[in-house]
């Protein structure tokens, strides 16, 4: 008897076989995506997706031949292959981050009347990859598009830092604390207190900014996998970010950030090369 008796014969249900095959293939990929870093045995994959060992083995070998799954020669464990990540990275080229976020920046600027920034993390810094200016003249730590600031300085950069994975956040803090001291009011205790406040509230706000007369508010921006990648922030005059107005600004930024986070591809090239995104090549007339 065949070990893949869970499959229908081509004479009984030929129309459903391709669909079932696709569904089973993706079931294997999803099981491997949830696997430990070292990978899974064929028996573990079979149990996870509810197919026989023989059928699962054939699916795995087919995926190995396509390069989207790899098998360790020694342990015989299976894990996702690099070709799968290459395909995902290529898919990220379809819609660049700046183009995706610009309508949200325009809506926020039009509704609030303040300058709105899109920041993306770049190692220990946040880079401004886009901004839409409101009618009020302001100063910002990042300056114009392409400017960068240490993670932790300014509301947008602080929002990014606060939501990094703990171990990664600790490394950034260790590296950046000496850089933050040049601002005169930052020390490690203060920074950690601010980080906890942002994590509790979901936003960073400063109604009396380090820049005289300036205030700001930032909210984190995640990709569709839930990883922190950037921030939306507003720069404005201190007199405009009152206690009464603050909840409205927070709500508007968080609503736009939540909608964008569901669409941001983790493999978007802009998340790896933010300076390229900050200096787009303008089409020639």
């Amino acid at each position: 008897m065949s070990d893949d008796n869970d499959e229908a014969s081509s004479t009984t249900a030929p129309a459903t076989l391709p669909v079932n095959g696709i569904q089973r293939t993706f079931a294997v990929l999803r099981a491997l995506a949830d696997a430990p870093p070292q990978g899974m045995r064929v028996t573990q994959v079979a149990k996870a997706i509810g197919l026989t060992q023989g059928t699962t083995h054939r699916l795995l070998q087919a995926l190995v031949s396509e390069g989207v799954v790899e098998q360790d020669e020694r342990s015989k464990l299976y894990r996702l292959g690099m070709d799968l990540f290459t395909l995902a990275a290529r898919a990220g080229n379809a819609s660049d981050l700046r183009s995706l976020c610009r309508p949200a920046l325009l809506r926020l600027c039009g509704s609030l009347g303040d300058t709105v920034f899109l920041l993306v993390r770049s190692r220990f810094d946040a880079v401004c990859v886009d901004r839409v200016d409101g009618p009020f003249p302001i100063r910002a730590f990042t300056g114009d598009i392409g400017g960068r600031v240490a993670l932790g300085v300014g509301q947008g950069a602080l929002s990014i830092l606060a939501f990094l994975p703990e171990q990664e956040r600790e490394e950034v803090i260790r590296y950046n604390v000496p850089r933050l001291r040049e601002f005169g009011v930052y020390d490690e205790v203060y920074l950690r207190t601010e980080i906890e406040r942002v994590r509790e509230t979901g936003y960073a706000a400063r109604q009396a900014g380090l820049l005289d007369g300036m205030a700001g508010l930032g909210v984190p921006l995640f990709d569709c996998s839930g990883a922190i990648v950037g921030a939306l922030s507003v720069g404005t005059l201190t007199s405009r970010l009152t206690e009464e107005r603050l909840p409205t600004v927070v709500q508007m930024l968080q609503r736009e950030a939540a909608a964008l986070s569901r669409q941001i591809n983790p493999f978007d090239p802009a998340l790896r090369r933010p300076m390229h995104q900050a200096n787009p090549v303008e089409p020639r007339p």
Side-chain angles (χ1 to χ4, degrees):
M1 181 179 291
S2 171
D3 58 4
D4 57 336
N5 55 13
D6 51 306
E7 293 185 24
S9 69
S10 59
T11 57
T12 56
T16 63
L17 273 176
V19 175
N20 286 341
I22 292 172
Q23 291 172 337
R24 290 172 176 178
T25 299
F26 277 97
V28 170
L29 294 175
R30 291 189 178 99
L32 292 177
D34 294 331
Q38 66 270 23
M40 296 176 74
R41 297 188 181 280
V42 62
T43 52
Q44 295 172 315
V45 179
K47 183 178 180 180
I49 64 177
L51 294 178
T52 65
Q53 183 175 331
T55 298
T56 304
H57 181 262
R58 280 191 291 278
L59 287 170
L60 285 166
Q61 287 301 308
L63 290 168
V64 168
S65 68
E66 293 296 330
V68 294
V69 169
E70 59 187 28
Q71 184 181 25
D72 186 272
E73 292 184 3
R74 284 188 173 184
S75 67
K76 302 302 180 184
L77 297 177
Y78 293 91
R79 54 179 174 260
L80 295 179
M82 287 306 300
D83 279 9
L84 184 64
F85 296 99
T86 301
L87 289 172
R90 290 169 63 186
N93 288 317
S95 176
D96 66 82
L97 186 69
R98 191 179 185 190
S99 298
L100 176 67
C101 296
R102 175 146 272 256
L105 268 64
L106 291 169
R107 283 193 297 271
L108 288 167
C109 180
S111 299
L112 296 171
D114 294 306
T115 299
V116 185
F117 301 85
L118 170 63
L119 303 179
V120 173
R121 183 200 175 183
S122 177
R123 300 181 67 240
F124 299 99
D125 295 339
V127 174
C128 177
V129 296
D130 203 2
R131 66 179 277 174
V132 177
D133 292 314
F136 303 97
I138 67 159
R139 291 171 293 151
F141 288 112
T142 55
D144 207 344
I145 297 172
R148 64 169 63 228
V149 66
L151 289 174
V153 178
Q155 284 62 59
L158 181 60
S159 297
I160 299 172
L161 177 59
F163 287 94
L164 289 175
E166 183 178 4
Q167 190 172 9
E168 197 170 343
R169 186 169 67 243
E170 289 299 318
E171 286 299 317
V172 174
I173 291 173
R174 182 182 62 82
Y175 185 87
N176 276 359
V177 163
R179 304 171 70 199
L180 303 184
R181 291 195 181 110
E182 66 185 73
F183 293 96
V185 298
Y186 277 78
D187 59 26
E188 186 171 346
V189 174
Y190 176 84
L191 179 61
R192 290 185 181 277
T193 301
E194 289 297 293
I195 287 172
E196 288 307 311
R197 192 195 315 276
V198 174
R199 291 180 63 82
E200 289 174 7
T201 62
Y203 65 90
R206 194 174 180 88
Q207 290 155 291
L210 296 177
L211 297 174
D212 188 40
M214 298 292 105
L217 190 149
V219 301
L221 194 59
F222 303 91
D223 65 30
C224 61
S225 74
I228 182 72
V229 295
L232 294 178
S233 68
V234 165
T236 187
L237 304 178
T238 301
S239 59
R240 288 181 53 77
L241 196 60
T242 62
E243 290 289 346
E244 294 75 22
R245 188 171 184 248
L246 180 65
T248 300
V249 181
V250 170
Q251 183 181 39
M252 293 179 68
L253 261 70
Q254 288 183 331
R255 183 171 61 242
E256 293 287 359
L260 289 169
S261 293
R262 291 191 291 269
Q263 303 174 63
I264 296 175
N265 188 326
F267 298 98
D268 193 313
L271 304 180
R272 301 190 305 277
R273 301 188 298 273
M275 292 308 299
H276 177 76
Q277 188 79 174
N279 298 281
V281 178
E282 297 294 340
R284 294 183 178 180

